[in-house]
């Protein structure tokens, strides 16, 4: 009887140990599959922690890349050139060429047999991430950067993932050169009163708190009209918010390469608007058009956008 009890006890212990061992193994596998461990153990691999907090890894330099969204297309075409086989939208930078367009559709993207799909977090694109991963396709989701530092980090991380670290550092260097040039312009006018600047177009007033445009304006060292007028609850402020801020300068982001772009008509729409007649920017003829390519693209081109705004504000 005692022997039988002992055997039952030993059996229960062995089963318990097996279950515990399996649990520890799966926990270890989960731990190894992502986060910091994934980066630390990626010997020779290309990797980054993406916007879903997963460590995305490639065992070879990416040569077939699909970009989802214009900012993703901008970034990867700058980093990897002809290795970008398709994008869902044209890049902001017209000088960046992508071989073909692809529908933002799981099967259409999968048919291209990409090494990696880079998806920007916009316009419902995040819905593609899980279905593509379920098909065994590598995907990296990029969250929208809220600061210039976010742009720097994202450029460096994607460069590492794609096996283009040196190119990424070159792009970051270009951005920082524009920012240093901005500091020089500002220093030359350091004794002047700080100006209020509005970034405004047909969409509304840009630059609410915790947006990239807001951070760009801090580098120009101006008062942000959107924050001054209290824009918080919506993506863009209204014309009423613009009037409330009474800016010294209005920056108008525009697609200057659009077929229907008419510079004179854009200026006339501001200077001839009775509702804006009493604004300081209107009275002092301080309206300036700046290309979307540098103002609204969420890539290293924001450095040029910052410098372009500084040129207007400091009248270079």
């Amino acid at each position: 009887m005692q022997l039988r009890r002992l055997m039952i006890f030993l059996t229960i212990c062995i089963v318990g140990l097996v279950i515990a061992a399996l649990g520890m193994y799966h926990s270890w596998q989960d731990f190894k599959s992502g986060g910091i461990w994934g980066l630390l153990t990626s010997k020779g691999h290309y990797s980054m922690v993406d916007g879903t907090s997963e460590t995305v890894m490639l065992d070879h330099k990416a040569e077939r890349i699909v970009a989802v969204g214009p900012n993703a297309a901008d970034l990867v075409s700058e980093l990897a050139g002809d290795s970008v086989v398709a994008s869902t939208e044209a890049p902001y930078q017209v000088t960046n060429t992508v071989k073909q367009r692809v529908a933002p559709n799981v099967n259409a993207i999968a048919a291209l047999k990409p090494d990696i799909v880079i998806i920007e977090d916009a316009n419902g694109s995040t819905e593609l991430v899980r279905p593509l991963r379920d098909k065994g396709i590598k995907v990296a989701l990029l969250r929208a950067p809220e600061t210039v530092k976010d742009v720097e980090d994202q450029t460096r991380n994607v460069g590492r993932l794609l096996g283009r670290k040196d190119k990424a550092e070159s792009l970051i260097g270009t951005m920082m050169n524009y920012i240093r040039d901005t500091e020089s312009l500002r220093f030359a006018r350091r004794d002047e009163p700080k100006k209020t600047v509005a970034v405004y177009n047909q969409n509304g007033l840009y630059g609410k708190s915790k947006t990239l445009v807001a951070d760009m304006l801090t580098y120009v060292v101006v008062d942000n009209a959107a924050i001054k007028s209290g824009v918080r609850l919506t993506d863009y402020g209204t014309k009423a918010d613009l009037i409330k801020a009474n800016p010294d300068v209005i920056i108008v982001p525009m697609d200057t390469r659009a077929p229907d772009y008419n510079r004179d008509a854009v200026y006339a729409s501001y200077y001839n608007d009775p509702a804006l007649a009493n604004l300081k920017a209107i009275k002092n003829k301080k309206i300036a058009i700046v290309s979307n390519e540098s103002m609204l693209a969420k890539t290293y081109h924001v450095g040029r956008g910052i410098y372009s705004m500084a040129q207007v504000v400091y009248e270079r």
Side-chain angles (χ1 to χ4, degrees):
M1 181 65 71
Q2 288 182 344
L3 180 60
R4 183 178 178 184
R5 288 177 179 174
L6 179 61
M7 292 299 293
I8 293 173
F9 175 76
L10 289 174
T11 300
I12 292 172
C13 289
I14 292 170
V15 171
L17 287 171
V18 169
I19 292 172
L22 286 173
M24 292 175 64
Y25 173 77
H26 287 302
S27 296
W28 175 248
Q29 292 299 102
D30 290 341
F31 175 65
K32 290 201 302 178
S33 68
I36 300 300
W37 177 265
L39 291 179
L40 294 176
T41 59
S42 60
K43 302 173 183 177
H45 291 167
Y46 306 100
S47 63
M48 69 172 281
V49 177
D50 82 334
T52 64
S53 299
E54 289 201 21
T55 299
V56 184
M57 297 178 61
L58 297 174
D59 58 9
H60 64 281
K61 187 175 179 179
E63 296 299 343
R64 294 188 61 79
I65 305 165
V66 172
V68 177
N71 292 294
D74 254 348
L75 179 57
V76 298
S77 58
E78 290 279 5
L79 288 170
D82 289 342
S83 294
V84 186
V85 296
S87 67
T88 58
E89 298 180 53
Y92 272 109
Q93 304 296 313
V94 296
T95 54
N96 292 348
T97 58
V98 180
K99 292 177 182 178
Q100 67 181 48
R101 295 285 175 269
V102 63
N105 172 277
V106 172
N107 291 331
I109 293 171
L112 295 172
K113 301 186 183 304
D115 297 325
I116 184 74
V117 180
I118 306 294
I119 299 178
E120 68 176 272
D121 181 13
N123 301 324
S125 298
T126 54
E127 296 175 2
L128 295 171
V129 175
R130 181 50 55 193
L132 284 169
R133 285 177 173 166
D134 288 344
K135 283 182 173 290
I137 296 170
K138 300 283 188 178
V139 177
L141 178 70
L142 307 183
R143 296 295 182 188
E146 295 181 355
T147 65
V148 172
K149 182 63 167 60
D150 289 345
V151 173
E152 177 184 351
D153 291 343
Q154 192 168 93
T155 302
R156 184 171 287 118
N157 290 339
V158 177
R160 183 173 62 239
L161 174 64
L162 301 182
R164 274 81 173 181
K165 290 196 300 184
D166 291 345
K167 181 62 176 178
E169 293 303 326
S170 175
L171 299 183
I172 292 167
T174 298
M175 180 178 74
M176 299 312 296
N177 284 338
Y178 274 119
I179 290 174
R180 280 189 285 271
D181 289 342
T182 297
E183 292 171 351
S184 297
L185 284 180
R186 179 173 54 82
F187 183 78
R189 299 295 186 92
R190 61 190 179 279
D191 295 327
E192 294 183 358
K194 186 183 287 189
K195 295 179 179 177
T196 297
V197 175
V199 178
Y200 180 86
N201 63 14
Q202 70 276 9
N203 293 326
L205 182 62
Y206 293 76
K208 76 171 186 178
S209 182
K210 296 183 179 180
T211 61
L212 184 54
V213 169
D215 194 54
M216 291 167 67
L217 287 167
T218 67
Y219 284 83
V220 188
V221 190
V222 293
D223 287 328
N224 178 346
I227 292 177
K228 186 175 180 179
S229 62
V231 177
R232 287 189 298 271
L233 300 179
T234 60
D235 288 338
Y236 308 107
T238 63
K239 183 184 287 188
D241 293 316
L242 176 71
I243 294 170
K244 180 180 177 182
N246 192 15
D248 299 287
V249 179
I250 298 176
I251 303 290
V252 184
M254 292 291 295
D255 182 358
T256 57
R257 289 187 170 87
D260 59 348
Y261 170 67
N262 185 320
R263 176 180 177 275
D264 292 337
V266 173
Y267 282 123
S269 69
Y270 287 86
Y271 290 123
N272 297 335
D273 186 341
L276 305 180
N278 292 322
L279 296 187
K280 287 182 284 187
I282 299 296
K283 291 179 177 179
N284 297 323
K285 302 295 183 184
K286 292 296 293 183
I287 310 288
I289 297 170
V290 176
S291 171
N292 280 352
E293 293 183 7
S294 57
M295 280 301 304
L296 301 183
K298 297 177 176 63
T299 60
Y300 84 101
H301 295 289
V302 298
R304 180 156 49 89
I306 291 168
Y307 182 64
S308 297
M309 288 193 291
Q311 286 181 302
V312 174
V313 171
Y314 300 112
E315 299 179 343
R316 176 149 182 180

